[in-house]
Amino acid sequence: MDNVMQEMVLPTRKETLVDQIHDRILEIIIQEDVSEKSVFTEGKLVQQFQVSKATVREALVRLCNENILRSIPRFGYVIAYMGPKELHDLEELRRLLELTSLREAAPRIGRSELDQLRSMLSHSSGSNKTVWDIWKKNMEFHGLLISFSGNRVFVEFLQDAMRRQMLYFGQSRWQENRSFADFLHTEQHEKIYASLESGDTEQALACLAGD
């Protein structure tokens, strides 16, 4: 089982140049460098990143498929808007996915799985981390936790849901003048770990629901 879990940990493949450009654009969106009205164009991004147009286009298409950006023909790419209803549905999807997965996986979480979580939490601690670093570690923690269920489809759905949530956080920052860090509560991860280590599944589920 350990080999299966190892394969499903986020990220699951070697990072490519397209992955790097994809993540850099996401980083730009959440690091307060753009507004809701910003327009991304292939030409400007090619100049900014000094990569090929094909690489930029593939990254932008991926972001459109993830509903982070929206393509406007002969104009460029704009940030997709997420309304309150969509956010509510997204949060409900995450809640159902993660709680169902953890409840199913809990009886199989042993020392090996706990050591993986402990290692990830140790690498996530420390100062001088950017909001982007914290967000990626947050995704990795939840991805690892849900992977213990052995359901790869759940992992993929979680990835997509968390990317969409990231867009909402950015929108809230623009609209409410709040810091992106206000939405991150990584101390819950330690509580989830402690509950699992002590064998208290219900407390782990309660902590996960509040994360």
Side-chain angles (χ1 to χ4, degrees):
M1 180 176 176
D2 288 347
N3 290 336
V4 175
M5 295 300 104
Q6 222 170 19
E7 290 176 1
M8 295 177 68
V9 176
L10 304 177
T12 58
R13 53 187 169 77
K14 185 177 179 180
E15 189 175 59
T16 66
L17 183 56
V18 172
D19 294 330
Q20 293 174 26
I21 300 304
H22 169 280
D23 287 354
R24 277 293 292 118
I25 297 171
L26 279 176
E27 186 176 1
I28 289 170
I29 291 172
I30 69 169
Q31 292 282 49
E32 304 184 20
D33 293 326
V34 297
S35 71
E36 286 181 281
K37 297 181 180 179
S38 295
V39 178
F40 295 91
T41 65
E42 293 179 3
K44 288 181 180 179
L45 292 172
V46 165
Q47 289 183 339
Q48 181 174 353
F49 298 129
Q50 293 296 297
V51 295
S52 71
K53 193 171 184 177
T55 297
V56 167
R57 181 180 295 123
E58 187 174 345
L60 288 169
V61 168
R62 186 185 299 177
L63 288 162
C64 288
N65 290 338
E66 294 167 354
N67 295 316
I68 301 296
L69 294 179
R70 181 166 55 89
S71 175
I72 301 178
R74 295 181 295 280
F75 182 67
Y77 297 80
V78 297
I79 299 170
Y81 175 75
M82 179 186 291
K85 174 63 164 61
E86 187 177 358
L87 173 66
H88 176 271
D89 291 346
L90 191 63
E91 290 176 335
E92 182 66 10
L93 171 64
R94 269 199 66 187
R95 189 184 70 82
L96 291 172
L97 279 177
E98 295 198 65
L99 294 181
T100 299
S101 296
L102 183 56
R103 187 176 293 280
E104 180 179 316
R108 302 198 297 271
I109 294 178
R111 191 69 260 166
S112 175
E113 289 74 26
L114 289 169
D115 286 346
Q116 290 179 61
L117 289 172
R118 181 72 270 164
S119 176
M120 181 168 288
L121 289 170
S122 297
H123 284 101
S124 298
S125 63
S127 58
N128 301 319
K129 290 186 178 296
T130 66
V131 171
W132 178 240
D133 290 331
I134 295 170
W135 178 256
K136 287 194 290 187
K137 292 300 182 183
N138 184 45
M139 286 187 66
E140 289 172 5
F141 177 85
H142 285 272
L144 176 60
L145 194 63
I146 199 174
S147 75
F148 294 149
S149 70
N151 192 321
R152 186 178 295 274
V153 175
F154 276 12
V155 176
E156 292 171 354
F157 270 103
L158 177 66
Q159 285 179 301
D160 184 60
M162 293 192 76
R163 290 191 189 100
R164 295 289 292 143
Q165 273 192 305
M166 180 174 58
L167 175 61
Y168 170 78
F169 297 153
Q171 288 177 189
S172 296
R173 187 197 68 236
W174 301 322
Q175 295 164 1
E176 303 170 18
N177 194 30
R178 297 175 65 184
S179 167
F180 188 78
D182 292 343
F183 298 96
L184 298 174
H185 306 286
T186 53
E187 67 275 3
Q188 285 292 100
H189 296 174
E190 289 286 354
K191 295 178 181 179
I192 293 168
Y193 172 83
S195 299
L196 290 172
E197 187 176 41
S198 67
D200 192 341
T201 300
E202 293 307 315
Q203 180 62 30
L205 288 167
C207 292
L208 181 59
D211 187 15

